[in-house]
């Protein structure tokens, strides 16, 4: 009983970090039990495949965006190519669908993705740092002179769970994080899309 009690005390001390010296003299069996009891920390990430959009639906692959949770918010790390240089609006959209849809008797690429993610129904495009607008508003995507996008974005009000059942849309133009002078940041046409895979 005394040996069991000491073993339990050792395990508790190790679990709460009572010092390296104590850990070095601990019962090996107790150390093993503590290791089994400690939760395994895993870094979850989601790799989102991105494709160009056209009147028939999705086109050629342009790369991926890797989404991970950080203390600062959701990090989106693009590895994209084949885009026009300059800033592009990019947003989380409501539906997990990159297909075409008709609007005003015209086929619109990517329209099946729906509007910007807006669970609060604010109806306002105010950028990624506002708490009053669309939750799906993201920092603009920077594309270099070679058509590549490699600079990570951080969305402070999003996490991986918010992406589940959604899609990412890249627009032809930039984003001024407002609805004036043009709605939804003025990004214009939807040129690329990626449906967010479900986390396992």
């Amino acid at each position: 009983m005394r040996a069991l009690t000491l073993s339990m005390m050792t395990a508790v001390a190790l679990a709460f970090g009572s010092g390296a010296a104590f850990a070095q003299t601990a019962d090996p069996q107790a150390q093993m039990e503590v290791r089994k009891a400690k939760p395994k920390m895993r870094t979850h990430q989601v790799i989102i495949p991105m494709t160009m959009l056209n009147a028939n639906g999705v086109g050629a692959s342009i790369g991926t965006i890797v989404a991970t949770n950080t203390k600062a918010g959701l990090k989106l790390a693009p590895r994209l190519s084949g885009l026009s240089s300059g800033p592009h609006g990019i947003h989380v959209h409501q539906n997990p669908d990159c297909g075409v849809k008709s609007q005003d008797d015209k086929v619109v690429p990517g329209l099946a993705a729906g509007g910007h993610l807006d669970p609060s129904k604010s109806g306002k495009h105010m950028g990624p740092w506002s708490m009053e607008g669309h939750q799906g508003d993201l920092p603009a995507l920077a594309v270099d002179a070679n058509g590549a996008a490699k600079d990570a974005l951080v969305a402070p009000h999003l996490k991986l769970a918010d992406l589940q059942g959604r899609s990412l849309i890249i627009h032809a133009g930039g984003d001024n994080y407002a609805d004036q002078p043009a709605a939804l940041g003025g990004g214009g046409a939807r040129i690329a899309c990626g449906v967010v895979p479900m986390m396992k």
Side-chain angles (χ1 to χ4, degrees):
M1 179 64 73
R2 184 171 180 272
L4 178 60
T5 302
L6 286 174
S7 179
M8 292 175 63
M9 289 174 62
T10 302
V12 171
L14 281 172
F16 290 94
S18 62
F22 191 90
Q24 290 173 357
T25 60
D27 181 351
Q29 182 63 34
Q31 289 184 1
M32 184 177 296
E33 292 302 319
V34 170
R35 284 195 293 270
K36 289 180 180 179
K38 286 183 178 179
K40 295 180 179 179
M41 301 301 292
R42 296 179 180 176
T43 302
H44 291 288
Q45 67 176 24
V46 172
I47 300 175
I48 306 165
M50 301 295 295
T51 59
M52 295 300 289
L53 294 173
N54 56 47
N56 296 317
V58 297
S61 170
I62 59 170
T64 62
I65 295 178
V66 180
T68 55
N69 285 327
T70 73
K71 291 182 179 180
L74 181 70
K75 178 182 176 182
L76 298 170
R79 289 295 179 267
L80 305 175
S81 60
L83 296 167
S84 60
S85 61
H88 288 263
I90 179 171
H91 313 104
V92 180
H93 282 247
Q94 183 69 32
N95 305 322
D97 192 341
C98 293
V100 301
K101 193 173 180 181
S102 294
Q103 184 179 58
D104 300 328
D105 297 325
K106 295 181 180 179
V107 174
V108 181
L111 192 60
H116 295 184
L117 179 63
D118 188 21
S120 67
K121 301 188 184 302
S122 68
K124 300 176 182 179
H125 182 74
M126 300 180 69
W129 301 282
S130 172
M131 294 289 290
E132 300 177 6
H134 301 149
Q135 187 182 16
D137 292 349
L138 300 173
L141 181 72
V143 180
D144 65 23
N146 297 315
K150 299 178 181 178
D151 295 339
L153 318 173
V154 177
H157 306 310
L158 286 171
K159 53 185 179 296
L160 277 178
D162 298 318
L163 295 184
Q164 296 299 283
R166 312 297 181 195
S167 60
L168 292 182
I169 289 282
I170 299 174
H171 293 263
D175 191 343
N176 70 351
Y177 311 128
D179 284 312
Q180 299 295 331
L184 304 175
R190 305 176 182 200
I191 62 169
C193 179
V195 172
V196 180
M198 296 299 292
M199 285 192 299
K200 296 180 180 180

